[in-house]
């Protein structure tokens, strides 16, 4: 699978995004979190996603499916989904948790996802939604994305792992884990009930290795960073490398 990070930010955007960074990516100016898989499956579509697709040179009509992690506006913006779907010859598939409120978006087919149940998308990709420790009113879910024996865990906007999700992942040996890292490397933050800090991840990663969710071959990337709560990217990347991980940035491309 080919992965492109279109946005890696928590709800804490750089004001420069409204001025001199409209047409380029920047390591320290993060857009609303979103990820593109194999050029046609979009994970989340929030505030900045169409702009990020434009910068990446991605044609909207190439996108076949959008999978939503939860209904907060930095991850789910109906007007931007409609913009992407507008000129398609066939409806765009939108996937979200089954208990999300009913909605209608022009030229979009709504698909409801039952938690811990595999959903089949085009080109041999499957997605399973799993419970996330985040605002329950937003119908949150972490995602297990699989294709050709490869597996990705996308766990942005959620603190730790809830036990049902933990046991679903147990001994899977993920090829890629994308983990929430809203807060930086410091003590004391009221957000720990819904988001991870670097210190929390420093505890989590060895434990995930202990139960074979990740191993030395797994790629681990921190995403969903709040810039005001972190050091600049290069310093944060240095900290992450000491933990055996990396920090995602807008425009990053990787392959597993």
């Amino acid at each position: 699978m080919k992965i492109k990070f279109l946005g890696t930010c928590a709800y804490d955007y750089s004001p420069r995004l409204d001025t001199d960074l409209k047409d380029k990516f920047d390591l320290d100016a993060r857009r609303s979190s979103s990820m593109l898989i194999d050029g046609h499956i979009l994970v989340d579509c929030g505030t900045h996603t169409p702009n990020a697709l434009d910068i990446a040179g991605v044609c909207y009509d190439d996108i076949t499916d959008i999978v939503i992690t939860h209904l907060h506006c930095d991850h789910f913006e109906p007007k931007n989904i409609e913009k992407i779907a507008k000129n398609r010859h066939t409806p765009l598939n939108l996937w979200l948790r089954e208990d999300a409120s009913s909605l209608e978006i022009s030229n979009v087919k709504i698909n409801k996802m039952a938690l811990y149940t595999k959903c089949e998308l085009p080109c041999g990709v499957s997605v399973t939604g799993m419970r996330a420790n985040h605002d329950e009113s937003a119908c949150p879910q972490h995602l297990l994305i699989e294709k050709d024996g490869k597996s990705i865990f996308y766990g942005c906007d959620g603190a730790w792992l809830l036990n049902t999700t933990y046991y679903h992942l147990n001994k899977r040996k993920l090829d890629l884990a994308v983990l929430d890292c809203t807060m930086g490397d410091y003590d004391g933050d009221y957000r720990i009930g819904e988001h991870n800090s670097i210190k929390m991840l420093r505890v989590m990663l060895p434990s995930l290795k202990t139960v074979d969710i990740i191993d030395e071959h797994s790629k681990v990337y921190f995403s969903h960073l709040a810039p005001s709560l972190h050091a600049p990217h290069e310093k944060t990347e240095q900290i992450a490398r000491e933990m055996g991980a990396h920090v995602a940035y807008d425009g990053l491309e990787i392959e597993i």
Side-chain angles (χ1 to χ4, degrees), residues 57-190:
V58 177
C59 176
Y60 296 170
D61 292 350
D62 290 341
I63 297 173
T64 59
D65 297 76
I66 300 177
V67 186
I68 300 297
T69 61
H70 65 294
L71 302 182
H72 287 159
C73 65
D74 55 325
H75 297 260
F76 174 71
E77 182 54 75
K79 68 178 182 180
N80 285 341
I81 295 172
E82 186 172 17
K83 182 177 182 179
I84 291 170
K86 182 178 180 180
N87 295 317
R88 289 180 52 83
H89 297 299
T90 57
L92 175 69
N93 280 303
L94 180 68
W95 301 82
L96 67 172
R97 223 174 82 170
E98 63 179 351
D99 51 346
S101 300
S102 296
L103 68 150
E104 291 185 10
I105 304 174
S106 179
N107 206 26
V108 170
K109 178 185 177 184
I110 307 296
N111 300 275
K112 296 297 185 76
M113 302 172 63
L115 290 170
Y116 303 104
T117 301
K118 187 177 291 189
C119 299
E120 300 297 336
L121 277 62
C123 303
V125 177
S126 68
V127 179
T128 304
M130 298 168 287
R131 288 198 178 277
N133 188 17
H134 193 53
D135 176 12
E136 185 61 22
S137 69
C139 301
Q141 57 179 357
H142 291 328
L143 304 175
L144 177 64
I145 304 161
E146 299 173 285
K147 178 184 177 184
D148 296 337
K150 299 288 187 178
S151 57
I152 298 169
F153 175 69
Y154 190 80
C156 293
D157 253 345
W160 308 103
L161 293 178
L162 291 176
N163 63 334
T164 49
T165 296
Y166 170 83
Y167 288 116
H168 191 83
L169 294 173
N170 198 20
K171 300 188 184 302
R172 280 188 177 270
K173 289 190 177 177
L174 299 167
D175 296 284
L176 171 64
V178 181
L179 302 176
D180 181 278
C181 188
T182 299
M183 296 100 72
D185 194 13
Y186 58 88
D187 293 317
D189 197 296
Y190 69 90

